[in-house]
């Protein structure tokens, strides 16, 4: 298994606040995400500003696109994103259009798995050229008490078997990581656990220590 990366999700309601946390955390994470909340609040400028602040990082536009895959992918990748998310409920045509634009930019589409989707959908995304998905426990589902369970782990394994690389997110903290020890995760995505911490760099170090203890060279 490869060693999972650490992704910082910025779901701030102000770009200035997001950029303050980026300054504290950019040297401690592998990937920086312009979160859905930040982008809905600040627009495309959020992606541009993060690209400028982090010239050497992978930048994700977490837009959870449901339609207009071509236009929105052009916008995201021209603004400096490397990866853009499309929601699993989007028509396959949207995924295909987004993927075509991604290829032109040497970029990638990630499918955001929320709610209803099937392994047949996952096979169709893979056949269309998609190689990444995000396994997501939504904020609201988490707040209403949804825990990670065996069903999640077996769906993650089935997605890996199809060939999709998985990022895992949704209120993830360093102490959650052992739950996923059998999963070949590409990245763990953390928002509130990092950006909301009293000492963000220390929490990032705890994520890396867990990642290396679980997935590092044995
Ligand atoms: C919510 C998201 C968040 O960016 C993702 O869940 C990470 O944030 P947190 O760790 O705070 O849950 O895409 O839809
Ligand atoms: Mg996000």
């Amino acid at each position: 298994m490869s060693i999972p990366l650490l992704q910082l999700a910025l779901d701030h309601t102000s770009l200035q606040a997001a950029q303050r946390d980026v300054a504290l955390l950019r040297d401690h994470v592998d990937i920086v995400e312009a979160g859905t909340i930040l982008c809905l609040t600040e627009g495309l400028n959020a992606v541009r500003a993060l690209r400028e602040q982090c010239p050497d990082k992978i930048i994700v536009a977490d837009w959870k696109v449901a339609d207009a895959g071509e236009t929105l992918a052009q916008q995201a990748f021209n603004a400096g994103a490397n990866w853009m998310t499309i929601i699993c409920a989007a028509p396959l045509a949207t995924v295909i259009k987004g993927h075509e634009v991604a290829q032109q930019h040497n970029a990638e589409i990630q499918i955001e798995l929320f709610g209803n989707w099937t392994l047949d959908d996952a096979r169709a995304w893979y056949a269309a050229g998609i190689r990444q998905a995000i396994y997501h426990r939504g904020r609201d589902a988490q707040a209403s008490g949804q825990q990670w369970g065996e069903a999640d782990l077996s769906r993650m394994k089935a997605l890996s078997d199809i060939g999709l690389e998985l990022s895992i997110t949704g209120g993830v903290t360093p102490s959650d990581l052992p739950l996923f020890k059998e999963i070949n995760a590409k990245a763990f995505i953390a928002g509130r656990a990092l950006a909301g911490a009293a000492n963000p760099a220390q929490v990032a170090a705890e994520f890396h220590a867990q990642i290396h203890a679980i997935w590092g060279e044995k």
Side-chain angles (χ1 to χ4, degrees), residues 166-203:
L166 280 191
S167 294
I168 298 171
T169 192
V172 172
T173 65
S175 61
D176 290 329
L177 298 196
L179 278 172
F180 306 108
K181 63 180 189 301
E182 304 298 337
I183 306 299
N184 189 8
K186 183 178 183 79
F188 286 97
I189 307 172
R192 290 161 291 173
L194 285 171
N199 186 341
Q202 187 186 318
V203 178

Side-chain angles (χ1 to χ4, degrees), residues 9 11 33-36 62 64 112 136 169 189:
D11 285 296
E33 169 190 319
T36 316
D62 184 15
K64 301 181 173 71
E112 280 260 359
H136 210 134
T169 192
I189 307 172

Side-chain angles (χ1 to χ4, degrees), residues 12-133:
H12 302 63
T13 51
S14 122
L15 180 56
Q16 215 181 18
Q19 291 196 285
R20 273 200 300 268
D21 281 330
V22 172
L24 294 175
L25 280 160
R26 71 182 147 193
D27 294 337
H28 305 276
V29 300
D30 305 295
I31 305 167
V32 174
E33 169 190 319
T36 316
I37 294 173
L38 179 66
C39 291
L40 284 171
T41 312
E42 297 278 1
L44 199 52
N45 197 35
V47 178
R48 287 197 199 99
L50 294 175
R51 168 51 68 217
E52 202 170 310
Q53 193 176 7
C54 307
D56 303 322
K57 294 279 175 207
I58 296 170
I59 300 283
V60 180
D62 184 15
W63 291 356
K64 301 181 173 71
V65 165
D67 194 8
E70 182 174 5
T71 304
L72 291 172
Q74 291 284 9
Q75 296 280 67
F77 299 135
N78 284 338
N82 303 95
W83 301 345
M84 183 193 82
T85 63
I86 292 184
I87 194 75
C88 58
L92 191 58
T94 300
V95 174
I96 290 169
K97 284 289 180 193
H99 177 62
E100 281 170 7
V101 176
Q103 284 186 303
Q104 290 157 16
H105 286 79
N106 201 20
E108 288 190 50
I109 297 295
Q110 299 177 292
I111 303 292
E112 280 260 359
L113 303 173
F114 262 111
N116 297 323
W117 54 272
T118 66
L119 292 176
D120 281 342
D121 293 329
R123 286 184 199 99
W125 299 323
Y126 187 85
I130 298 295
R131 293 295 178 264
Q132 290 201 59

